[in-house]
Amino acid sequence: MLPDATAMRDAATSFQRDGVAVVRGLLSEGEVDLVERAIDRVVADPSELAIVMDEDGAGRFIEDFRAAGRFSEIARIVTSSAIGAWCGEMMDASLVRFHHDHVLVKEPGTRLRTPWHQDLPYYNIEGSQNVSVWIPVDPVSRDAALEFVAGSHTGSWFTPRTFAGDTARWFPEGTFPEVPDIDADRDAYPIVGWGLEPGDAVFFHMLTLHAGGGVEDDRRRRVLSLRFVGDDMVFAPREWKTSPPFPELDRLEAGAPLDHPLFPVIWSRPLDAP
Ligand SMILES: O=C(O)CCC(=O)C(=O)O
């Protein structure tokens, strides 16, 4: 089914103003099943990039990256759903390239909050037309969902740190300011977030500050997060291993467009569109 043009424009207005927009009913039941199958296959057969944080038997946070090459369900959802068209509208782009996927599973009772951070400083790309799409396949309460500082995508880059251990493993200490202690003074920030049902998704800019809740004892929170880039994104080589790493790109020039088979164009604006 084609997405409603007015709903897309309204969501794009929120995305461009706040750096985040919620889209209800983005995926059909069949598409949610496809995403669920992909996540379950990743968890059953994690890659060497997987990170598992155990919480003394209380919970477990599993992450894995770049599974699209191993599990066809992810490529199918990226190329055959309406996600590409929504991303094009959000970014106001003439084309949308798939950049990578990230699976995040919080097992029941995982108390660990995902700390406040931005996504872009972990990668080796720069530019303004980018979007992450956070797609849960389980119902997620407002407390367990992602939350965002509205408007932060137009501000500073902040030091990226490891989620466990709080280490500055990417840019050297002092390169950027530290992420402010947002939870110490939540009323001072325009924080937004939504409880979500399977099929809903949140689209956010890779510089929007965001954090994620822990999960309740009787809830599992399985998420596929997809990252896309538009026309103005370019390669930005780093002297360190990015998260996720892209060793295949070592020979790309700094500032080169991301015109590479690793980042296929999955949507382009129809020629007669405004
Ligand atoms: O799911 C989470 O808790 C964090 C997700 C996140 O930071 C992301 O998708 O960029």
Side-chain angles (χ1 to χ4, degrees):
M1 198 175 64
L2 281 177
D4 175 75
T6 308
M8 281 179 113
R9 265 197 306 275
D10 290 350
T13 301
S14 302
F15 178 86
Q16 283 156 23
R17 181 193 58 221
D18 299 336
V20 59
V22 64
V23 177
R24 304 280 179 194
L26 171 75
L27 300 182
S28 67
E29 238 174 77
E31 289 170 334
V32 173
D33 288 348
L34 200 61
V35 175
E36 182 174 21
R37 216 160 48 233
I39 296 173
D40 290 348
R41 289 186 76 185
V42 170
V43 172
D45 181 16
S47 76
E48 73 282 359
L49 300 178
I51 301 168
V52 180
M53 281 179 264
D54 269 311
E55 285 187 346
D56 290 337
R60 177 170 247 231
F61 183 18
I62 304 153
E63 293 180 84
D64 205 354
F65 304 84
R66 298 191 63 190
R70 298 197 300 138
F71 303 115
S72 60
E73 289 89 347
I74 299 180
R76 272 176 64 197
I77 208 72
V78 163
T79 55
S80 68
S81 72
I83 292 175
W86 280 93
C87 289
E89 195 70 25
M90 301 280 179
M91 298 189 288
D92 193 18
S94 72
L95 59 80
V96 176
R97 291 183 186 278
F98 175 55
H99 191 260
H100 73 276
D101 58 89
H102 183 178
V103 165
L104 306 107
V105 175
K106 288 192 177 177
E107 297 293 1
T110 304
R111 303 281 175 244
L112 191 77
R113 268 181 66 75
T114 310
W116 288 100
H117 67 283
Q118 301 163 311
D119 287 345
L120 196 52
Y122 292 85
Y123 306 155
N124 50 7
I125 51 177
E126 285 172 3
S128 66
Q129 285 171 307
N130 59 67
V131 58
S132 296
V133 189
W134 194 80
I135 306 167
V137 295
D138 301 302
V140 182
S141 67
R142 166 68 182 82
D143 283 349
L146 282 195
E147 52 183 5
F148 304 84
V149 176
S152 51
H153 63 305
T154 60
S156 166
W157 286 43
F158 294 104
T159 301
R161 292 186 173 275
T162 53
F163 288 177
D166 210 24
T167 308
R169 187 185 292 159
W170 294 277
F171 289 92
E173 294 275 7
T175 308
F176 302 118
E178 292 301 313
V179 173
D181 189 354
I182 293 164
D183 288 326
D185 191 10
R186 291 177 62 92
D187 289 345
Y189 297 90
I191 295 175
V192 294
W194 303 267
L196 302 172
E197 292 299 320
D200 299 343
V202 194
F203 289 67
F204 58 100
H205 191 278
M206 292 177 188
L207 279 182
T208 307
L209 278 165
H210 58 286
V215 294
E216 299 86 353
D217 288 342
D218 56 349
R219 291 284 187 96
R220 202 172 178 213
R221 198 196 74 174
R222 291 169 297 169
V223 172
L224 177 65
S225 202
L226 299 173
R227 279 81 194 241
F228 299 91
V229 293
D231 311 62
D232 79 348
M233 296 298 289
V234 296
F235 185 56
R238 307 294 185 208
E239 286 160 21
W240 47 85
K241 194 165 142 191
T242 54
S243 172
F246 284 95
E248 307 92 328
L249 295 183
D250 278 357
R251 274 189 268 150
L252 217 57
E253 293 283 319
L258 294 174
D259 185 5
H260 191 282
L262 274 182
F263 310 124
V265 174
I266 55 103
W267 178 88
S268 51
R269 193 168 290 283
L271 286 177
D272 57 352

